[in-house]
Amino acid sequence: MTSEVVENEFEFYSKAEKYWKDVPPTVDGMLGGYGHISSIDINSSRKFLQRFLRDGPNRTGTTRALDCGAGIGRITKRLLLPLFKTVDMVDVTEDFLTKAKSYLGEEGRRVRNYFCCGLQDFSPEPNSYDVIWIQWVIGHLTDNHLSDFLKRCRAGLRPNGIVVIKDNMAQEGVIMDDVDSSVCRDLDVVHKIIRRAGLHLLAEERQENFPDEIYHVYTFAMR
């Protein structure tokens, strides 16, 4: 539980904000120096997501997606804009969202909203999104804030919409990273938070072909 490793909630959030303000607004910056894994990441995410976008009675729509912890728009540009008519982006760092407007190029015209906000304070517009994509950012939320945010995401889904989390998973327990002021949870803890938010797990997949020295990365789809 994050309550065991986060001593001061205000400090936990303010230290993270300060950390990201000093990170260069580049793909390499977004990925902590691992920019070279971006294509592997995007290709796997696309395959994972497309299983829900295929034809069928419960097919997830392709009208609107939300990119949470969007940074400069790496995922918006390469994963979401090619698949969805419009995308909204939310990130706590204003400089990243400013950079996104040039980084996204012409296709960026289909980004409707750039929300500058921490996810602990953000509420997706109800009944609005086919896919809410949350990648490499849940570690910046306490357990309670993550559970509450996922509840708000659930309310933000259109019929047959899904919430997707893609993130690092610890081997056991909850590990604090003092450098960027984040936590890494194990699978059991994440499953419990998903259940607590009233979401049902539809699919879970471990990312392949990432460097051995980094945490295992898992993708979850829920509604």
Side-chain angles (χ1 to χ4, degrees):
M1 303 290 286
T2 53
S3 56
E4 291 164 16
V5 294
V6 176
E7 291 173 12
N8 181 317
E9 196 175 275
F10 175 79
E11 200 175 90
F12 175 67
Y13 286 112
S14 56
K15 267 182 73 177
E17 279 195 48
K18 187 174 182 305
Y19 170 84
W20 286 106
K21 275 194 172 80
D22 293 333
V23 169
T26 61
V27 169
D28 211 41
M30 300 302 96
L31 294 176
Y34 282 88
H36 60 283
I37 69 170
S38 186
S39 290
I40 298 167
D41 167 57
I42 295 288
N43 290 338
S44 297
S45 294
R46 189 182 299 113
K47 278 184 196 157
F48 182 88
L49 189 50
Q50 279 176 328
R51 73 175 85 167
F52 297 98
L53 307 181
R54 293 192 189 110
D55 289 338
N58 298 316
R59 187 177 78 87
T60 298
T62 54
T63 302
R64 193 172 170 200
L66 174 65
D67 185 359
C68 298
I72 63 168
R74 181 185 73 90
I75 290 162
T76 289
K77 181 177 179 126
R78 297 195 52 200
L79 176 68
L80 301 177
L81 281 172
L83 295 172
F84 296 88
K85 289 190 180 75
T86 63
V87 178
D88 288 347
M89 294 169 59
V90 55
D91 197 274
V92 75
T93 307
E94 198 165 352
D95 285 353
F96 294 166
L97 295 175
T98 301
K99 173 67 178 179
K101 289 168 187 173
S102 57
Y103 171 73
L104 293 170
E106 280 293 295
E107 292 298 300
R109 288 178 303 179
R110 293 189 290 111
V111 175
R112 295 182 359 144
N113 295 294
Y114 296 86
F115 299 110
C116 188
C117 188
L119 298 184
Q120 69 275 19
D121 299 314
F122 183 74
S123 293
E125 190 184 329
N127 193 33
S128 293
Y129 296 104
D130 296 298
V131 169
I132 297 178
W133 193 273
I134 309 165
Q135 183 161 346
W136 280 323
V137 69
I138 65 168
H140 285 302
L141 296 175
T142 63
D143 290 351
N144 287 339
H145 281 157
L146 177 54
S147 174
D148 289 346
F149 175 61
L150 290 175
K151 286 175 190 169
R152 298 194 298 274
C153 287
R154 197 181 75 201
L157 293 178
R158 288 156 56 92
N160 297 321
I162 56 169
V163 177
V164 178
I165 288 175
K166 186 169 187 178
D167 221 302
N168 301 335
M169 297 294 134
Q171 290 285 5
E172 190 177 349
V174 179
I175 299 164
M176 182 78 187
D177 184 337
D178 283 321
V179 176
D180 67 356
S181 192
S182 69
V183 295
C184 186
R185 302 168 172 94
D186 69 20
L187 280 167
D188 283 347
V189 174
V190 173
H191 287 155
K192 280 175 191 157
I193 292 170
I194 289 169
R195 285 196 300 271
R196 205 167 104 198
L199 286 160
H200 171 65
L201 197 59
L202 303 172
E204 176 180 315
E205 183 175 283
R206 183 177 156 193
Q207 172 71 49
E208 295 179 345
N209 302 317
F210 268 9
D212 291 338
E213 71 270 15
I214 66 174
Y215 284 114
H216 292 167
V217 171
Y218 279 79
T219 312
F220 311 89
M222 323 149 249
R223 68 163 60 107

